[in-house]
Amino acid sequence: MRRLLAGLATGTFLLATAACGSSGGSSSTATSSGGTTTVKVGIIPIVDVAPLYLGQKEGFFSKRGLKLSTTLAQGGAAIVPGVTSGQFQFGFSNMTSLMIAQSNGVPVQAIANGVASTGVAGKDFGGLVVKKGSSITSPKQLEGKKVAVNTLKNINETAVRESVRKAGGDPDKVNFVELAFDQMPAALDKGQIDAAMAVEPALATMKLQGASEIASPLVDVGQNLTVAMYFTSTSYAQKNPAVVKKFQEAVAESLSYADAHPDEVRQIVTTYTKTPADVLAKVTLPKWPAEANRSSIETLEKLSEQDGLFKTAPDLDKLLP
């Protein structure tokens, strides 16, 4: 399933979302049993979604009559068509994927905050790293080099491009390659790539291998950047407002709980990733604020437009809650 979804995340993304767009999620169905509604959620196996797992464990969803059925994907771009086609009722996606979808007429609607940058350079959950002993010490030196991102033409590429610009380099001269987060540590260690833009826990894994962090691209994009949000299709939101409201409330409680219980966050990550204890101890946790930071999303939109990711500018008033 991960390979299938990853495939949708690359060259076929626009075609897939356009094809799914006509349905508007009309085929989305959640199963109900004994007063409990099971909803399918597409997520990424990274630290960002820990609150969802914690919320499920703590009963924040079940007390609202919801049961989560999760499916893992490589990136937000792969989850968008899953939601609009009805494969999932809800999904977790970075803001760039959602803006690209919305700008292409795909009926998606962000409904709850997902994750945010810490806003502190060198102490963020996302980082741009190079191999131990590398002569590269600045993003400017990435010109002509091979840099891995989990999805091409998406948020992490845009973020790295901004770091390169701020360091005085030309981002158009960087050779970006697509690689899943969990494959980045081995690729960097073997010298198959020159640098990697990773989020936790892959970031901590590479640092333990001796990798050096040369930039915090998500921080370079904007202060306290809203990186991702939970979303649904506009059709599902219109037809199932009660379920959406329950999901929103459960997510909000889960985000607050995660922010207040970092040790439990680290522990829950072991249930859906193969992260060793020594790596978890080094993981930098993101922020999980209750509300999205609209100004940071607007900054990301401008950078994405500059990088040519939109044919037409997305309508944030329609996309954001």
Side-chain angles (χ1 to χ4, degrees):
M1 175 60 74
R2 289 183 65 190
R3 287 196 183 96
L4 170 63
L5 291 174
L8 287 173
T10 54
T12 59
F13 168 62
L14 294 180
L15 177 61
T17 51
C20 296
S22 60
S23 72
S26 60
S27 60
S28 293
T29 56
T31 57
S32 300
S33 177
T36 298
T37 300
T38 299
V39 292
K40 298 177 181 178
V41 188
I43 56 175
I44 313 166
I46 51 179
V47 170
D48 307 31
V49 298
L52 205 68
Y53 286 90
L54 276 178
Q56 195 169 21
K57 179 186 175 185
E58 295 299 316
F60 301 153
F61 290 89
S62 60
K63 74 179 183 182
R64 293 177 171 85
L66 296 180
K67 180 180 179 180
L68 305 184
S69 173
T70 57
T71 297
L72 302 180
Q74 181 170 320
I79 297 172
V80 170
V83 170
T84 56
S85 68
Q87 183 181 0
F88 312 128
Q89 279 76 55
F90 301 103
F92 177 88
S93 174
N94 67 75
M95 293 313 303
T96 300
S97 291
L98 291 178
M99 289 191 289
I100 290 174
Q102 207 276 339
S103 70
N104 281 286
V106 179
V108 292
Q109 183 177 331
I111 57 171
N113 202 23
V115 69
S117 161
T118 65
V120 182
K123 296 181 180 179
D124 195 25
F125 77 105
L128 180 62
V129 296
V130 294
K131 185 180 179 179
K132 180 181 180 180
S134 173
S135 61
I136 300 172
T137 58
S138 166
K140 181 179 180 179
Q141 296 171 277
L142 294 177
E143 293 180 358
K145 304 298 184 182
K146 189 180 293 185
V147 180
V149 291
N150 69 313
T151 307
L152 293 172
K153 301 296 181 183
N154 214 285
I155 187 169
N156 285 319
E157 180 177 330
T158 293
V160 172
R161 290 173 68 90
E162 181 64 1
S163 291
V164 172
R165 282 192 200 97
K166 286 190 171 181
D170 183 354
D172 290 336
K173 294 181 180 179
V174 177
N175 179 20
F176 289 98
V177 296
E178 186 168 287
L179 200 62
F181 288 126
D182 60 5
Q183 295 174 15
M184 290 180 184
L188 187 67
D189 195 47
K190 294 176 182 177
Q192 296 169 343
I193 53 177
D194 297 298
M197 171 56 201
V199 296
E200 299 290 12
L203 179 59
T205 298
M206 288 186 281
K207 286 182 177 179
L208 283 175
Q209 291 175 347
S212 300
E213 185 171 345
I214 61 171
S216 299
L218 297 176
V219 178
D220 285 340
V221 169
Q223 190 66 30
N224 303 318
L225 174 68
T226 293
V227 177
M229 295 183 71
Y230 291 95
F231 72 102
T232 188
S233 68
T234 53
S235 176
Y236 188 83
Q238 292 166 359
K239 296 175 181 177
N240 302 275
V243 176
V244 171
K245 187 172 186 295
K246 290 176 182 178
F247 186 82
Q248 288 173 315
E249 292 173 348
V251 168
E253 189 170 4
S254 300
L255 294 174
S256 177
Y257 188 87
D259 246 354
H261 299 82
D263 290 340
E264 290 185 44
V265 168
R266 295 179 195 278
Q267 182 57 39
I268 203 76
V269 171
T270 65
T271 65
Y272 63 95
T273 71
K274 298 177 181 179
T275 309
D278 61 333
V279 174
L280 274 175
K282 299 291 185 179
V283 162
T284 299
L285 298 180
K287 295 296 184 182
W288 288 291
E291 301 294 333
N293 180 349
R294 170 133 184 178
S295 64
S296 74
I297 297 173
E298 290 171 347
T299 299
L300 179 62
E301 178 193 9
K302 291 186 179 73
L303 290 174
S304 301
E305 193 167 3
Q306 180 178 333
D307 290 337
L309 299 189
F310 310 133
K311 291 180 179 178
T312 57
D315 187 338
L316 295 184
D317 289 334
K318 290 183 178 180
L319 176 62
L320 300 176

